[in-house]
Amino acid sequence: LALALAVMETRRVPADAKAMIGIVATSFVLYTLFAHGLTLRPLIGLLGLNRLSPRELAVRNRAMALALADSREHVRAVAEEHDLSHGVRDEAEAQFGGRLGTLEQSLETDCALDEDARMEMGLVTLAGREERLYLGLLDENLVSRQVVQRLRAIAGRLGDGARSAGRDGYLRAAVAALDHAQGFRFAIWASRHLRWHRPLRSLLSQRFEMLMASRVVLRDLVNFAENRLGALLGAAYAGRIVAVLNDRRFAVEQALEALRQQFPDYARGLERGYVGRAALRQELAAYRALHEEGVISQDVLNDLEREVGHRWRVFEMVPTLDLGLDAARLVARVPMFAGLGAASLQNIARHLRPGLAMPDEVLVRRGERGEEMYFVASGEVEVRNPDTLPQPIRLGAGDFFGELALLTRQPRSADVVALTYCQLLVLDRRAVTQLFREDPSLRDHIRAVAQNRMAAERAAE
Ligand code: CMP
């Protein structure tokens, strides 16, 4: 056709020839469409291209079994609701039951869906459902749009993981989702070095919200897997999928607990808001149902909705997350500084850099040069050196680390890793010198502890 059009646009081609080319081209196109339309379908059928693959067939049968089981339940409910005679009910039930029985028999012996395929199918189904559930939370205004977008992206990655590497891929994506992602790296840096805490604060409160939403959704998914996936995949596989989900739930619970430990007030505020909004949603639904049933008029409903709207606003106010990174407040939490006078404390607080560490963050790396030491104001860290320490050593609020490299000018003697969220006070060499000048007894104490630690290291070597 394109060729014919091009010819017809050319002036040098005589009009008769143009007309003929137009007719021939159009007829040819119409003929091929007609011929293909009629012959392609039988040809596809003849070659068997329209047949489902064994795997698709197995999935189809399982989906059918699931729907039949549901329909049988439904028949029973409808029969009871409409007071149908037992005969009619039994007949309908037997019809569904018979089909279901034959199908179930074929499912027992069906080996088209191997183990990996079943796991993949179950996990992909779950990831799709997870995405939809997050949208539901957004519709109900229980979770912010930004958080839902991030959660949906994570659910998408879970599905991709399951498709590409089955259970392992799904689990890998689940672990990565709980990581403190790249955004955190910049936020932590800005908070520690520029004392600009806003990005960190907003990422942490977003993490809180994401974990809370995940917890709600995971509970639903476990329910779904227990009650619905069994029919689709077989009970044993559904059980395995429930185990995967329970692992995820455990990890989410742990991550949430870690945040709650560090920011209990914020957690309480956030949970109060969530529960309050969920309760108001219920209340609103109840009013709307009463209106639909004709119990209350439109005016009454409007009035009630307005009232719920007022209360909603109270629960919508998200509390501000206080990172608690005020140097003076943190200094007061380290008993070792108790001996200093108010003036010295103020002086030292100016040289201290407060910082928040994330769980699993490596704060000090063995073998590196060190120009800073750290006081733990809250949380727990672990000193790790498999060569000299048979067991890692835990340090908590009031303890310090990183002093050895500073005092001996040797490379760092061990890794120090945060186990929980920690509030730290970081001192550079200048601040340490000043601190030692201000409080000689503190200096002696730190030196004594350092001597003991070095002795322990030497003994192990
Ligand atoms: P530094 O060598 O600068 O970096 C690693 C830190 O781990 C080290 O300082 C100490 O603060 C700490 N550390 C090393 N060995 C021990 C130990 N045996 N007990 C407690 N803390 C230690």
Side-chain angles (χ1 to χ4, degrees):
L1 268 182
L3 203 60
L5 281 174
V7 169
M8 287 168 84
E9 287 298 310
T10 317
R11 281 210 201 102
R12 266 179 289 171
V13 180
D16 294 352
K18 275 187 191 175
M20 203 189 61
I21 288 173
I23 291 167
V24 168
T26 316
S27 313
F28 177 72
V29 170
L30 286 178
Y31 167 75
T32 45
L33 280 178
F34 182 69
H36 282 175
L38 291 185
T39 54
L40 220 50
R41 186 187 263 272
L43 188 66
I44 285 173
L46 198 71
L47 295 177
L49 296 177
N50 58 348
R51 254 173 258 139
L52 296 179
S53 69
R55 192 167 150 190
E56 282 168 328
L57 207 63
V59 172
R60 169 195 174 276
N61 286 347
R62 285 173 189 283
M64 205 161 143
L66 193 65
L68 280 178
D70 273 359
S71 304
R72 197 171 53 171
E73 291 295 311
H74 192 59
V75 163
R76 205 170 297 157
V78 169
E80 263 161 37
E81 201 176 309
H82 293 270
D83 243 350
L84 297 186
S85 71
H86 285 305
V88 174
R89 192 191 71 184
D90 292 347
E91 203 178 301
E93 259 190 31
Q95 213 178 4
F96 278 108
R99 281 175 70 198
L100 189 60
T102 350
L103 252 181
E104 273 172 354
Q105 256 175 16
S106 76
L107 292 184
E108 289 287 316
T109 52
D110 137 38
C111 39
L113 270 188
D114 60 18
E115 187 173 327
D116 290 345
R118 284 184 213 217
M119 278 309 264
E120 179 195 324
M121 195 176 132
L123 293 171
V124 169
T125 309
L126 280 182
R129 185 176 173 82
E130 183 162 348
E131 235 182 296
R132 286 195 299 282
L133 287 173
Y134 288 131
L135 274 184
L137 290 180
L138 179 66
D139 282 346
E140 295 195 358
N141 252 328
L142 290 174
V143 180
S144 70
R145 178 171 298 278
Q146 202 184 11
V147 163
V148 165
Q149 265 165 1
R150 294 193 56 187
L151 286 169
R152 288 186 63 205
I154 289 173
R157 283 199 287 277
L158 289 169
D160 291 344
R163 261 179 230 108
S164 62
R167 179 177 176 275
D168 290 347
Y170 182 89
L171 281 177
R172 262 199 301 275
V175 170
L178 287 182
D179 241 17
H180 289 92
Q182 299 101 349
F184 265 100
R185 230 165 284 155
F186 167 74
I188 290 169
W189 180 87
S191 163
R192 274 191 212 153
H193 294 95
L194 310 175
R195 301 199 184 192
W196 183 34
H197 304 306
R198 226 173 64 200
L200 187 57
R201 194 183 307 137
S202 100
L203 278 181
L204 278 172
S205 42
Q206 212 176 69
R207 182 176 170 83
F208 242 126
E209 231 192 311
M210 284 171 66
L211 289 170
M212 279 177 53
S214 295
R215 192 171 52 164
V216 173
V217 162
L218 278 170
R219 195 171 311 141
D220 177 288
L221 290 182
V222 168
N223 228 326
F224 174 78
E226 279 172 348
N227 297 320
R228 312 274 299 160
L229 282 185
L232 204 62
L233 305 174
Y237 292 93
R240 265 181 241 173
I241 285 188
V242 170
V244 169
L245 286 173
N246 277 333
D247 281 354
R248 271 187 73 194
R249 260 173 104 177
F250 180 71
V252 165
E253 258 334 308
Q254 265 192 331
L256 204 51
E257 189 50 36
L259 271 172
R260 241 193 243 124
Q261 289 270 334
Q262 185 64 42
F263 308 105
D265 293 340
Y266 182 77
R268 227 168 292 130
L270 214 59
E271 279 171 343
R272 209 176 289 134
Y274 188 90
V275 171
R277 289 199 301 277
L280 284 182
R281 273 271 149 233
Q282 280 287 326
E283 193 177 330
L284 210 56
Y287 294 147
R288 288 186 182 147
L290 286 174
H291 174 249
E292 295 233 322
E293 289 162 9
V295 179
I296 57 175
S297 68
Q298 184 67 46
D299 286 344
V300 173
L301 177 66
N302 290 348
D303 190 64
L304 287 168
E305 281 187 346
R306 248 194 315 277
E307 212 246 3
V308 169
H310 288 311
R311 278 186 285 147
W312 184 276
R313 241 162 274 149
V314 177
F315 290 118
E316 215 168 27
M317 278 186 277
V318 181
T320 3
L321 179 72
D322 179 7
L323 296 181
L325 293 181
D326 172 43
R329 248 166 72 194
L330 291 185
V331 166
R333 296 178 71 163
V334 179
M336 226 177 290
F337 296 132
L340 292 164
S344 302
L345 269 181
Q346 240 179 13
N347 210 359
I348 284 164
R350 268 192 284 132
H351 295 285
L352 287 163
R353 266 191 295 116
L356 187 75
M358 307 291 122
D360 297 327
E361 189 183 338
V362 182
L363 297 161
V364 158
R365 222 177 272 277
R366 185 180 169 197
E368 284 186 354
R369 242 170 69 97
E371 284 297 316
E372 288 167 335
M373 72 174 285
Y374 303 75
F375 285 88
V376 183
S378 77
E380 257 192 326
V381 300
E382 201 166 72
V383 181
R384 296 177 190 166
N385 183 348
D387 294 339
T388 59
L389 302 170
Q391 293 288 334
I393 293 176
R394 286 192 177 191
L395 303 175
D399 290 328
F400 57 85
F401 60 89
E403 78 294 349
L404 290 185
L406 212 61
L407 296 176
T408 62
R409 294 182 190 264
Q410 295 288 316
R412 297 285 193 199
S413 60
D415 284 342
V416 182
V417 182
L419 292 179
T420 61
Y421 289 96
C422 301
Q423 286 167 321
L424 301 173
L425 288 164
V426 191
L427 281 96
D428 57 18
R429 187 177 292 282
R430 241 185 48 212
V432 171
T433 315
Q434 167 125 14
L435 182 68
F436 284 2
R437 207 178 310 131
E438 297 265 345
D439 188 345
S441 65
L442 184 72
R443 176 196 59 199
D444 295 343
H445 174 66
I446 290 178
R447 283 194 175 150
V449 172
Q451 287 294 347
N452 278 342
R453 288 177 178 174
M454 278 193 291
E457 297 274 310
R458 269 199 299 272
E461 279 165 18

